[in-house]
Amino acid sequence: EAILRELALKRGIKLQKVASCGIGGWFVGSPPDPRMVVAAKRKGYTLSGHARQFVDGAFTEYDYILAADHLTLEKLRQLAPR
């Protein structure tokens, strides 16, 4: 989310709504992993916020849903309305 926002800002693209979430509820409410905060900071990004879980309503709330890997994509396909 932080990287997408920063890249859009640098290119003059105004994003209406961007959210990052996981498909499982394991870390809901937790801050970003400290290792990722350090790694992102080295690249010039600031991570903030708290973990959220993907909800089915996102399919109608967002224009695009991006998956970070193949396993997540497969799970999203299972959750997607037909």
Side-chain angles (χ1 to χ4, degrees):
E1 179 180 349
I3 294 169
L4 179 59
R5 286 181 188 281
E6 184 65 27
L7 292 175
L9 182 66
K10 286 180 179 177
R11 288 166 176 77
I13 300 169
K14 184 176 180 181
L15 299 174
Q16 295 298 317
K17 191 170 188 179
V18 177
S20 176
C21 57
I23 56 171
W26 310 282
F27 301 106
V28 169
S30 298
D33 185 295
R35 297 167 295 181
M36 287 306 298
V37 172
V38 170
K41 190 171 188 171
R42 275 190 248 138
K43 298 288 187 178
Y45 302 106
T46 301
L47 301 185
S48 61
H50 291 83
R52 301 176 348 152
Q53 185 173 1
F54 184 85
V55 294
D56 292 343
F59 288 113
T60 56
E61 188 175 345
Y62 294 93
D63 292 328
Y64 298 98
I65 296 175
L66 308 176
D69 56 54
H70 292 315
L71 292 174
T72 303
L73 179 59
E74 185 55 38
K75 180 62 176 176
L76 289 169
R77 285 182 172 148
Q78 292 171 8
L79 293 171
R82 297 284 172 215

